[in-house]
Every structure is written in structure tokens, then in C-alpha cells.
């Protein structure tokens, strides 16, 4: 296995576990999860990566003006701060994406496009977002600027494509807010379709610039497959997919279930989910834009029954309101996909006190070199 040798690791702070070799990181995470969760059941062995480098298929590079050298510099935001650490590559990021970001930087100098300086409120380029479809190879480049006028944009795009003909779409986004890495509300497609597609567990998904899509596709496929396996689908089940995002888990599940209902709070994610369902010819899956708990309460009140409830909440975990609705819905099984073991423990405590037993916990290492871990837990009704 390659050695970790990042020169900016200390300043960047993104790789909290870089002081450990990869096999030791897995042991560290396993121990941490076992001490937190083994009261519920044995925690299965964490599934690590064969190659734990360059797994991020979503890359964001920030730009600033280097006064000393009188040229544009680029790098990553320091964890929890606004300062940019100059670097051309990150050991966790897709290598092709890193190269494209360097080309964007060079082109900015040759086209005399100054990076944006937030203190002076002067300049053009803020950051670039690059996403790559792992299985399709499609590449999206989003140029995010502070001002709406993009001088010589056609020649800029031409020069970028000449250097990287594998880019399939280029988008210009205007972010005039205070938030550094955010995308603004206005986007204009300069080249290609304005989105990319990728395949995951045999299904196709559309990824727009602002869509949520897991950043580690290799491990994501393993995670979702585990979630579907834990759901125990035979083709007869009705499934409630809560916190469904762009519908990924629900659409994959729909191939093996009778019916799937996905609920998600974010409007644009629901729009993507509907498109994704159509893209996959999944006509037994529906999506609703609402609070997952409120909707589950409502629909069970209408007499609807679910065999399986899947939940994949954000880092803050679920809420008593949702968990209570899930318990009242009385599904045979619940599958909890979690990106934060601490809130997972809190929510499993609630569910085990209310008629469910934890049968399996499978950790998957989605974010090597960082302190984050993802888990899938299976609960069955007592
Ligand atoms: N299951 C998806 C997305 C998980 S991210 C996937 O794997 O891709 C968590 C999602 O929960 C986000 O899309 C967020 O918008 C949504 N969310 C947060 N609070 C919610 C709530 N109260 N009700 C429904 N969805 C919610």
C-alpha cells in the first residue's frame, strides 16, 4: 500500500487520523464503535478500502491572489477556518479532478481573471467544484464566481476542454454570498448537459451541481448493498425510505420491493429523486417533500402499513418525533444508515426501549484518514 505523505496535512487538518497507518485506522475505528455500540449487539468487522487514497469524487478547490509571486494560488480550506492552504493535490481527492483544478488556476492567470478577495470585495473566481461519475467517467466542472460577468467565457471553456477533453459539462455559478464554499442560486451551463450521471448498485443517478451524492462511490456501493440486504426484501414488502435525498437507496430497494415511499425535506433533492426514478424505470416508487416524521405519522394514520422503515438522517441523527412515528408504524424491520455513531447510539437507545431489538451493526469506512465512520444497523420488532 502507498504511504501517506501529504506536505500540508498539519495545516489542513482534514485528515485527523493521518498519524496512523491505514490498517491501524481500521482497528482504531473498530474499537471506538465497539465501546460505543456493543451493548446492543456485536459490531461486525468494519469494511475498509483496498486502496484508501483518492476516493473523493467531489472536489472543491479555492483560489486566492498570491501577492508575493503576483499570480493566482489555489488550495483547500483549513478545517474550521477561512484560510486557504496552498496545495495542488490532496491524497483523498480524485487525481483527475485535482489536475483540472490546477489547469483552471493557470487559465485564470492567462485570461487575467483575478481570484475573488472577500475582504476587498474585488475579483472574479471564488472556487471550482469538480464531480466525477465513478462508473461513467463523466466529469462536471463548476466555476463559481463572485460576479455574474465571465469575461471571455467561451475561449476559457475552449482552452479548458483542449487540456481536458474528458470533461463532459462546464457550468458557471454565481455565489455573491458570504459563504465560501457554497454554490449561489444562479447557474448557467456553458458546455454539455449541466449535470452528470453515475451508476450505483446497477441503477443510474443524475447528479446536478447542488445534488447530495455520497463522495466515496466504492464504499457507498457496499454501504447501500448492506442496507438493502438488512432490509430483507423478497419483492413483497412495502418500504418507507426516510431522509431519502435524491432517492438513491429507495430506488435501489424498489427493484426488490413491492412499493417504496421516499420522504425528504429538501425540494430540489425530491425533484432529482423523481427524475432518478424515471431514469431507472422504477414505477413502484413515490417521493414526497415533507418532514419524514410528520408524513409517517400522517400516512400510518390513514391506515397505510410498512414492512420496512429505512432511515438515513444527517449527522445530528433522527428526532424523537420521527422515531416515535417509526415505532407507531410498527414495521417488522428498521434499517438505520448513520454517519455519526454518537447519534446512532442515542437513537438506538430510544428504539430498543420502545419495542425493537438491534440485530446487526455493520460499519463501513467511507472516509479513510478522517475520524468519520458510517454504520448500517438492523432492528427487528420484538
Ligand atoms: N439517503 C440519501 C440522503 C441522506 S442525507 C442518500 O444516501 O443519498 C440526509 C437527508 O435528510 C438530506 O437530504 C436532508 O435534506 C434530509 N432531511 C433532513 N431532515 C429531514 C427531515 N426532518 N425530514 C426529511 N428529510 C430530512
Amino acid at each position: 500500500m502507498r504511504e501517506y505523505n501529504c506536505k500540508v496535512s498539519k495545516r489542513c487538518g482534514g485528515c485527523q487520523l493521518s498519524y496512523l497507518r491505514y490498517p491501524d485506522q481500521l482497528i482504531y475505528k473498530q474499537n471506538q464503535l465497539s465501546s460505543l455500540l456493543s451493548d446492543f449487539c456485536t459490531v461486525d468487522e468494519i469494511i475498509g478500502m483496498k486502496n484508501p487514497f483518492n476516493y473523493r469524487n467531489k472536489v472543491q478547490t479555492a483560489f486566492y491572489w498570491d501577492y508575493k509571486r503576483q499570480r493566482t494560488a489555489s488550495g483547500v480550506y483549513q478545517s474550521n477556518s477561512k484560510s486557504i492552504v496552498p496545495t495542488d493535490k490532496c491524497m483523498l481527492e480524485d487525481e483527475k479532478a485535482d489536475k483540472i483544478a490546477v489547469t483552471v488556476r493557470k487559465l485564470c492567470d492567462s485570461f487575467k481573471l483575478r481570484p475573488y478577495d472577500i475582504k476587498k470585495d474585488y475579483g472574479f473566481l471564488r472556487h471550482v467544484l469538480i464531480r466525477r461519475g465513478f462508473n461513467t467517467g463523466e466529469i462536471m466542472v463548476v466555476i463559481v464566481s463572485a460576479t455574474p460577468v465571465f469575461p471571455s467565457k467561451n475561449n476559457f471553456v475552449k482552452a479548458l476542454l483542449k487540456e481536458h477533453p474528458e470533461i463532459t459539462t462546464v457550468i458557471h455559478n454565481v455565489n455573491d454570498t458570504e459563504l465560501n464554499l457554497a454554490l449561489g442560486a444562479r447557474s448557467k451551463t456553458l458546455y454539455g448537459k449541466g449535470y452528470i450521471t453515475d451508476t450505483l448498485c446497477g441503477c443510474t443517478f443524475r447528479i446536478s451541481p447542488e445534488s447530495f451524492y455520497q463522495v466515496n462511490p466504492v464504499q457507498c456501493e457496499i454501504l447501500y448493498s448492506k442496507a438493502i440486504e438488512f432490509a430483507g426484501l423478497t419483492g413483497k414488502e412495502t418500504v418507507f425510505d426516510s431522509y431519502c435525498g435524491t432517492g438513491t437507496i429507495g430506488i435501489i430497494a424498489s427493484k426488490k420491493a413491492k412499493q417504496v415511499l421516499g420522504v425528504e425535506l429538501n425540494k430540489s433533492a425530491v425533484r432529482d429523486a423523481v427524475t432518478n426514478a424515471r431514469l431507472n424505470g422504477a414505477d413502484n416508487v413515490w417521493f414526497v417533500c415533507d418532514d419524514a416524521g410528520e408524513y409517517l405519522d400522517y400516512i400510518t394514520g390513514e391506515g397505510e402499513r410498512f414492512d420496512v422503515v429505512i432511515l438515513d438522517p444527517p449527522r445530528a441523527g433522527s428526532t424523537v418525533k420521527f422515531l416515535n412515528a417509526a415505532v407507531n408504524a410498527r414495521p417488522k424491520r428498521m434499517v438505520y444508515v448513520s454517519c455519526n455513531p454518537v447519534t446512532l447510539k442515542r437513537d438506538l437507545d430510544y428504539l430498543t426501549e420502545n419495542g425493537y431489538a438491534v440485530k446487526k451493526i455493520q460499519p463501513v469506512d467511507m472516509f479513510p484518514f478522517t475520524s468519520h465512520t458510517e454504520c448500517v444497523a438492523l432492528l427487528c420488532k420484538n
Side-chain angles (χ1 to χ4, degrees):
M1 195 182 285
R2 266 165 68 196
E3 284 298 314
Y4 183 89
N5 63 346
C6 174
K7 293 191 186 78
V8 296
S9 173
K10 277 222 172 71
R11 281 181 68 193
C12 162
C15 292
Q16 300 87 5
L17 298 185
S18 62
Y19 65 94
L20 290 173
R21 290 175 57 250
Y22 188 56
D24 296 329
Q25 291 174 31
L26 294 176
I27 296 171
Y28 172 88
K29 289 185 178 179
Q30 185 78 40
N31 288 341
Q32 209 179 31
L33 294 168
S34 293
S35 59
L36 200 63
L37 302 168
S38 60
D39 279 350
F40 298 112
C41 74
T42 318
V43 178
D44 285 344
E45 190 181 334
I46 186 167
I47 304 174
M49 295 190 81
K50 270 206 195 90
N51 169 15
F53 297 105
N54 307 108
Y55 57 81
R56 282 191 67 97
N57 66 347
K58 175 181 171 184
V59 167
Q60 275 176 298
T61 303
F63 299 85
Y64 66 96
W65 184 249
D66 182 341
Y67 283 94
K68 216 161 123 197
R69 294 188 180 81
Q70 286 293 299
R71 64 178 189 211
T72 304
S74 62
V76 293
Y77 277 106
Q78 201 169 32
S79 293
N80 310 322
S81 107
K82 283 183 180 164
S83 55
I84 300 166
V85 182
T87 181
D88 278 358
K89 53 183 169 199
C90 160
M91 298 209 64
L92 309 188
E93 293 175 356
D94 182 78
E95 285 175 292
K96 175 69 79 188
D98 279 350
K99 285 190 181 128
I100 293 173
V102 169
T103 303
V104 170
R105 184 185 73 214
K106 289 181 179 160
L107 287 177
C108 278
D109 281 343
S110 34
F111 281 79
K112 304 211 163 20
L113 290 172
R114 274 285 189 110
Y116 179 66
D117 184 329
I118 200 160
K119 281 191 204 120
K120 294 185 176 145
D121 191 22
Y122 170 79
F124 173 76
L125 182 67
R126 291 191 79 158
H127 64 99
V128 54
L129 163 68
I130 300 161
R131 306 183 86 165
R132 185 175 189 202
F134 179 71
N135 288 308
T136 58
E138 293 179 23
I139 298 175
M140 169 200 295
V141 178
V142 188
I143 313 261
V144 185
S145 70
T147 49
V149 181
F150 188 162
S152 345
K153 60 173 182 265
N154 293 340
N155 287 334
F156 187 98
V157 172
K158 220 187 250 171
L160 181 62
L161 290 168
K162 189 164 174 239
E163 202 69 29
H164 302 282
E166 61 280 15
I167 294 172
T168 53
T169 190
V170 182
I171 294 149
H172 174 210
N173 176 274
V174 185
N175 171 13
D176 49 16
T177 70
E178 294 279 304
L179 298 167
N180 278 327
L181 277 181
L183 289 181
R186 281 167 293 170
S187 275
K188 196 173 168 205
T189 303
L190 305 179
Y191 171 78
K193 298 179 290 193
Y195 59 87
I196 56 169
T197 51
D198 198 17
T199 62
L200 211 56
C201 300
C203 295
T204 303
F205 297 101
R206 176 183 292 198
I207 308 163
S208 311
E210 52 284 306
S211 302
F212 175 87
Y213 192 69
Q214 290 282 2
V215 297
N216 183 339
V218 173
Q219 295 300 90
C220 180
E221 205 152 43
I222 295 172
L223 181 80
Y224 287 174
S225 304
K226 273 288 159 196
I228 305 292
E229 179 195 317
F230 284 5
L233 303 177
T234 63
K236 291 191 200 121
E237 295 76 13
T238 50
V239 178
F240 190 89
D241 179 19
S242 13
Y243 310 91
C244 71
T246 53
T248 34
I249 299 176
I251 290 167
I252 298 165
S254 74
K255 304 282 170 200
K256 291 183 177 166
K258 184 173 156 215
Q259 258 175 24
V260 178
L261 179 63
V263 182
E264 160 65 47
L265 209 49
N266 181 300
K267 253 193 215 146
S268 82
V270 174
R271 233 177 282 130
D272 283 347
V274 171
T275 306
N276 285 331
R278 206 172 41 223
L279 221 54
N280 290 285
D283 50 14
N284 58 341
V285 47
W286 286 266
F287 293 101
V288 174
C289 186
D290 204 342
D291 173 85
E294 243 160 62
Y295 197 77
L296 184 55
D297 254 342
Y298 158 75
I299 194 116
T300 41
E302 295 287 295
E304 204 68 49
R305 287 284 164 265
F306 297 95
D307 300 298
V308 182
V309 167
I310 298 175
L311 61 155
D312 182 9
R315 286 188 61 74
S318 190
T319 54
V320 169
K321 184 172 152 201
F322 177 83
L323 296 173
N324 200 28
V327 167
N328 288 337
R330 304 168 60 85
K332 291 186 204 102
R333 291 181 288 283
M334 289 194 210
V335 178
Y336 192 138
V337 182
S338 156
C339 57
N340 182 352
V342 175
T343 52
L344 174 66
K345 177 186 162 28
R346 181 198 67 202
D347 294 346
L348 291 182
D349 272 332
Y350 185 90
L351 292 170
T352 48
E353 280 158 20
N354 287 282
Y356 283 81
V358 182
K359 298 291 179 187
K360 274 180 179 171
I361 299 175
Q362 174 66 65
V364 178
D365 192 22
M366 299 275 275
F367 313 103
F369 292 94
T370 78
S371 51
H372 301 289
T373 340
E374 198 97 7
C375 286
V376 196
L378 166 66
L379 295 109
C380 292
K381 190 151 180 42
N382 284 334

